[in-house]
């Protein structure tokens, strides 16, 4: 009969301690709009604060968030679902209270609340610091913010490149109506992109000719002059193409602008003279632009 195999010992004493200690229920709350790695790192810190942690995450409602902080990109269901898919999260409380009180902690059997240690002014007017009651009760543990990333930063990046993202979605099949822009705005964005691409093409040709000139700089001067003339001709041609493109886009913009004005003015009983004057203003703006 084979001897009994020796009992397997845990690799680390910490694992033994964690297995015998009761779980600590840690609560972390937030808005979690456009969930990003800064959110995930904060939740990771909360999860790892104790050896055996059950992490409960509260997601504030649309009603409270829009009232006290501002508009969100994602609604409360989408935000809660994003949090639910984070590996550190064990439970999610939807429509979490804006200010945490001891009754809420008792209801969900919360031992500690985790958040960064900055004082958060309560826009609802209930308390001076949203986490003040929890701190005074000795149930607060601090986490660290991740610098350089926030939902506000992400929104700012989009706003800074607004036209590029509009053009990107137009090219992917979204309509003007879906993007919330009018015909005039669409044509202006497309015209700007055409000019940008033409500039890049011109710059590429110029760079190509300069490199070619440098490679042949040791050849006779007459040959060099001939290449310089060719380069000047090429630059003049590209310049004319650029001017033609600008003129074409301005004319197209003016035509579409007149259509927009006519559509807007229908049913307003304006005289033909007034309509012609407004169309003239549109033409003047487009050609000067």
């Amino acid at each position: 009969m084979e001897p009994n195999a020796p009992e397997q010992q845990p690799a680390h004493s910490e694992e033994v301690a964690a297995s015998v200690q009761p779980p600590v229920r840690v609560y972390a709350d937030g808005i979690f709009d456009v969930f990003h790695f800064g959110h995930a790192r904060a939740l990771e810190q909360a999860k790892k604060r104790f050896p055996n942690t059950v992490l409960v995450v509260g997601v504030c409602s649309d009603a409270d968030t829009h009232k006290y902080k501002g508009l969100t990109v994602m609604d409360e269901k989408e935000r809660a679902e994003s949090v639910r898919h984070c590996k550190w999260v064990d439970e999610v409380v939807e429509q979490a209270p804006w200010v945490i009180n001891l009754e809420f902690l008792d209801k969900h059997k919360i031992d500690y609340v985790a958040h960064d240690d900055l004082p958060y002014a309560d826009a609802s007017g209930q308390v001076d610091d949203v986490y003040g009651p929890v701190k005074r009760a000795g149930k607060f543990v601090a986490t660290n913010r991740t610098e350089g990333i926030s939902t506000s930063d992400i929104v700012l990046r989009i706003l800074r490149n607004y036209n590029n993202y509009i053009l990107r979605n137009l090219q992917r099949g979204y309509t003007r109506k879906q993007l919330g822009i009018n015909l005039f705005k669409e044509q202006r964005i497309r015209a700007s992109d055409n000019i940008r691409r033409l500039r890049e093409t011109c710059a590429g040709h110029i760079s190509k000719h300069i490199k070619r000139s440098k490679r042949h700089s040791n050849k006779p001067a007459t040959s060099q002059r001939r290449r310089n003339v060719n380069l000047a001709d090429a630059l003049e041609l590209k310049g004319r193409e650029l001017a033609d493109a600008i003129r074409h886009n301005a004319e197209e913009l003016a035509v579409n602008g007149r259509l927009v004005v006519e559509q807007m003015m229908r049913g307003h009983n304006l005289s033909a003279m007034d309509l012609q004057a407004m169309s003239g203003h549109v033409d003047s703006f487009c050609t000067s632009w």
Side-chain angles (χ1 to χ4, degrees):
M1 185 174 181
E2 294 183 3
N4 293 331
E7 295 183 2
Q8 294 292 327
Q9 298 295 326
H12 303 288
S13 59
E14 292 84 355
E15 294 179 0
V16 177
S19 64
V20 298
Q21 290 180 357
V24 178
R25 289 178 65 81
V26 175
Y27 178 77
D29 67 344
I31 297 170
F32 303 109
D33 193 21
V34 190
F35 192 87
H36 52 72
F37 68 86
H39 293 140
R41 284 181 177 176
L43 297 179
E44 179 184 7
Q45 293 175 60
K47 177 70 174 179
K48 294 180 177 179
R49 185 63 177 78
F50 300 98
N52 188 8
T53 300
V54 173
L55 180 59
V56 183
V57 179
V59 180
C60 297
S61 68
D62 286 344
D64 284 346
T65 303
H66 296 169
K67 182 177 180 180
Y68 300 129
K69 191 165 184 178
L71 185 66
T72 56
V73 177
M74 304 165 70
D75 64 37
E76 60 188 48
K77 291 294 183 183
E78 293 170 327
R79 293 185 283 112
E81 194 64 18
S82 298
V83 170
R84 192 171 282 111
H85 281 75
C86 178
K87 64 182 288 187
W88 310 113
V89 177
D90 297 302
E91 300 175 20
V92 174
V93 177
E94 298 187 33
Q95 298 185 339
W98 193 258
V99 177
I100 306 167
N101 54 40
L102 299 183
E103 289 76 15
F104 175 83
L105 300 185
D106 291 340
K107 176 182 177 181
H108 294 276
K109 298 180 173 57
I110 303 299
D111 297 304
Y112 293 96
V113 174
H115 203 276
D116 63 77
D117 204 16
L118 296 174
Y120 277 78
D122 176 22
S124 69
Q126 300 176 51
V127 292
D128 293 333
D129 181 2
V130 171
Y131 299 99
V134 178
K135 291 176 180 178
R136 288 190 290 272
K139 291 179 173 291
F140 184 84
V141 291
T143 58
N144 297 316
R145 292 178 65 88
T146 300
E147 297 297 329
I149 183 67
S150 70
T151 299
S152 297
D153 290 337
I154 294 172
V155 172
L156 181 60
R157 294 178 201 175
I158 296 172
L159 293 176
R160 281 177 174 171
N161 296 281
Y162 171 79
N163 285 356
N164 291 335
Y165 285 114
I166 288 290
L167 183 65
R168 168 184 179 269
N169 280 10
L170 285 171
Q171 292 171 342
R172 293 189 176 191
Y174 286 85
T175 65
R176 287 186 290 104
K177 185 176 180 180
Q178 288 174 310
L179 297 173
I181 60 173
N182 56 33
L183 178 63
F184 191 79
K185 182 68 174 179
E186 178 189 357
Q187 291 301 319
R188 183 170 184 175
I189 291 174
R190 290 189 185 277
S192 296
D193 183 61
N194 289 337
I195 293 172
R196 178 192 60 80
R197 287 189 284 109
L198 189 55
R199 283 173 181 163
E200 291 176 354
T201 301
C202 290
H205 282 288
I206 292 171
S207 176
K208 180 179 178 181
H209 281 289
I210 290 175
K211 289 179 180 179
R212 186 178 299 168
S213 297
K214 287 182 178 179
R215 284 199 302 268
H216 298 283
S217 59
N218 295 327
K219 292 188 177 181
T222 54
S223 178
Q224 183 66 44
R225 282 195 296 272
R226 190 180 303 112
R227 281 190 296 275
N228 289 341
V229 170
N230 292 339
L231 176 58
D233 291 341
L235 291 176
E236 182 180 0
L237 177 61
K238 291 300 174 183
R240 288 176 180 173
E241 290 180 4
L242 179 59
D244 289 341
I246 294 173
R247 190 179 304 109
H248 171 75
N249 281 294
E251 290 171 355
E252 184 178 357
L253 200 58
V255 170
N256 289 324
R258 283 195 297 271
L259 292 175
V260 171
V261 170
E262 290 173 3
Q263 290 174 2
M264 291 173 59
M265 294 304 107
R266 284 174 185 167
H268 288 273
N269 297 322
L270 291 180
S271 66
M273 183 178 297
D274 290 334
L275 185 58
Q276 184 177 3
M278 294 192 69
S279 296
H281 286 308
V282 173
D283 290 343
S284 176
F285 171 77
C286 294
T287 52
S288 64
W289 180 83

